[in-house]
Amino acid sequence: MSSIRTAVVTGSSSGIGHAIAERLAAAGINIVLNGIEPVEQIEPMRREMSERHGVGVIYDPANLMKADGVRSLIAAAEAAFGKVDVLVNNAGIQFVSHIEDFPDEKWEAILSLNLSAAFYATKSVIAGMKARKWGRIINIASAHGLVASPFKSAYVSAKHGILGLTKTVALEAAEHGVTVNAICPGYVWTPMVEKQIPDTASSRGLTEEQVVRDVLLAAQPTKTFVTVEQLAELTAFLTTDAAASITGASLSVDGGWTAH
Ligand code: NAD
């Protein structure tokens, strides 16, 4: 079996996941990109990443809302590269509403993608990682895994849940060379954040500028957005042997938000 490692990064056609995939490719790791965009749209990104870093890169547009979609993504990774050494559960969506108006289908969708997909992916890769006595599972949670904000009942529930999953699997895998950690970012400037500004503005009766200043960055003492590169660098560190004793951790990268 190839000694070159392989990483599956869910939701890596955009934002944080894309930066993580790029950084792991730069470390010489084969990459499985995933997202909901069509293959033709992601093909230039896939080719460029592969050529720039000299690693194998495939893109699989599996819909991770369903268990079968998650399982097909892991199967595609194993078919292309033989194994999965690094799993980054990153795909996620957001919806902002008072709970009394929160659509049932939005609750189900957020729980499915932001929490259940990580469970199914972890379940699919963990036996192989244990057998090879090496593996890294990194869950992109959120500061909302540790604290709440109003109007985000589904997201906050899913992110609190994924910290529980992280700790549980870390304990189960601890003696097998497999670490499981969560990264808890504060606000990062990505399409996900950009998209929720209008809804937050209408939920709270604010202008979009007020949402950025008084809602998003109000919670973040550094008053700056976290960058995708900062998250990618921490993820890459967690894949190294220097990080072998970090497991079951929730690592905050939130500009001091949860120090409040
Ligand atoms: P993004 O909107 O930029 O990217 C989301 C990615 O998920 C895209 O690649 C998209 O194609 C993919 N995706 C969406 N639905 C999918 C589905 N059904 N199946 C498979 N893939 C799907 O988001 P982002 O801001 O980069 O967020 C990535 C992760 O980081 C999420 O889990 C999010 O909760 C978390 N996070 C983001 C922030 C932030 O401020 N941006 C803060 C904390 C945590």
Side-chain angles (χ1 to χ4, degrees):
M1 190 170 287
S2 165
S3 60
I4 298 175
R5 287 187 171 142
T6 297
V8 173
V9 185
T10 71
S12 45
S13 56
S14 163
I16 296 167
H18 179 243
I20 289 172
E22 191 75 47
R23 179 63 183 81
L24 296 181
I29 299 175
N30 291 327
I31 300 294
V32 178
L33 295 170
N34 158 257
I36 47 171
E37 294 75 11
V39 170
E40 316 78 72
Q41 185 183 325
I42 302 303
E43 177 54 20
M45 176 196 288
R46 186 207 66 75
R47 193 178 336 105
E48 201 192 340
M49 193 178 285
S50 178
E51 286 171 3
R52 185 172 329 124
H53 302 297
V55 295
V57 181
I58 64 164
Y59 172 65
D60 187 331
N63 178 358
L64 307 185
M65 294 270 185
K66 299 265 184 254
D68 284 350
V70 181
R71 286 192 271 264
S72 76
L73 174 66
I74 301 302
E78 289 172 344
F81 300 118
K83 60 193 170 67
V84 176
D85 306 290
V86 177
L87 169 65
V88 183
N89 289 306
N90 166 78
I93 49 170
Q94 173 64 283
F95 190 78
V96 180
S97 165
H98 289 84
I99 192 157
E100 55 269 42
D101 303 321
F102 211 98
D104 295 354
E105 60 277 15
K106 292 289 185 193
W107 168 271
E108 298 290 345
I110 290 174
L111 268 287
S112 297
L113 185 62
N114 297 18
L115 179 56
S116 299
F119 164 75
Y120 291 120
T122 299
K123 193 176 164 185
S124 300
V125 300
I126 195 89
M129 288 179 174
K130 282 178 167 177
R132 292 186 298 275
K133 302 199 181 316
W134 199 94
R136 295 287 188 265
I137 299 176
I138 299 152
N139 296 321
I140 306 303
S142 170
H144 282 123
L146 299 164
V147 296
S149 297
F151 316 123
K152 297 185 177 177
S153 51
Y155 188 85
V156 170
S157 300
K159 294 300 186 181
H160 275 66
I162 206 163
L163 296 190
L165 178 69
T166 301
K167 288 185 259 193
T168 306
V169 184
L171 295 179
E172 292 184 25
E175 291 183 45
H176 302 274
V178 179
T179 70
V180 188
N181 291 290
I183 295 178
C184 297
Y187 281 106
V188 190
W189 189 257
T190 67
M192 171 184 269
V193 165
E194 218 173 333
K195 273 185 263 168
Q196 70 186 274
I197 291 172
D199 287 346
T200 305
S202 66
S203 292
R204 294 179 182 245
L206 300 173
T207 65
E208 296 193 8
E209 293 68 34
Q210 285 171 322
V211 169
V212 170
R213 193 187 60 238
D214 300 336
V215 180
L216 302 187
L217 295 182
Q220 211 146 289
T222 52
K223 299 292 175 211
T224 51
F225 284 98
V226 175
T227 69
V228 295
E229 291 78 15
Q230 290 163 352
L231 299 172
E233 206 59 46
L234 176 56
T235 304
F237 175 69
L238 289 173
T239 69
T240 66
D241 290 334
S245 295
I246 303 175
T247 196
S250 305
L251 302 164
S252 290
V253 185
D254 63 4
W257 175 351
T258 52
H260 281 299

